[in-house]
Amino acid sequence: VQLVESGGGLVQPGGSLRLSCAASGFNLDFYAIGWFRQAPGKEREGVSCTSSSDGATYYADSVKGRFTISRDNAMNTVYLQMNSLKPEDTAVYYCAADSSNHCSLYGVDDYDYWGQGTQVTVSS
């Protein structure tokens, strides 16, 4: 069972990145998927999540209107499209899967599987 994030990198303010979270060993379609981030010296925070049981999708206030979470069930992958990036978006981004299929931005301990993280740096 594995989650692998990719798509991070260095981007200028106002730019875009698309993060991918690919699962192996289990079917993401039966899990809630959350994206979290952690900046140096700060706690891990929820960015976005989506549940397949009720279609719930949530975003942190800081990213609403700029980030979009989506699923590709055929690819067993969840994406996070990030537009209008700001320096304060700089962090390591993690995806996580919750077998209860409950979407939560706050219940870090509720998630069963975590990826290794991908670095996003927004800087000119």
Side-chain angles (χ1 to χ4, degrees):
V1 172
Q2 194 175 17
L3 287 171
V4 178
E5 302 98 335
S6 61
L10 173 64
V11 63
Q12 292 186 343
S16 298
L17 285 173
R18 188 178 77 159
L19 305 184
S20 299
C21 173
S24 60
F26 66 105
N27 188 341
L28 280 182
D29 194 33
F30 299 105
Y31 288 74
I33 303 301
W35 282 99
F36 294 79
R37 66 186 181 187
Q38 188 164 20
K42 294 188 177 181
E43 292 187 354
R44 191 168 297 190
E45 64 172 348
V47 175
S48 180
C49 64
T50 180
S51 167
S52 62
S53 64
D54 58 5
T57 301
Y58 300 118
Y59 296 93
D61 288 343
S62 58
V63 306
K64 276 181 184 176
R66 300 188 298 122
F67 290 11
T68 304
I69 192 170
S70 62
R71 291 177 183 258
D72 184 334
N73 293 332
M75 298 296 292
N76 210 24
T77 299
V78 174
Y79 301 99
L80 185 68
Q81 177 67 43
M82 306 187 296
N83 298 328
S84 302
L85 283 161
K86 304 175 181 180
E88 51 264 44
D89 294 318
T90 296
V92 178
Y93 284 70
Y94 302 88
C95 66
D98 179 3
S99 60
S100 72
N101 213 347
H102 172 68
C103 182
S104 172
L105 296 179
Y106 307 104
V108 173
D109 293 337
D110 294 338
Y111 287 82
D112 303 286
Y113 307 120
W114 288 83
Q116 82 290 347
T118 185
Q119 176 70 47
V120 172
T121 302
V122 185
S123 175
S124 55

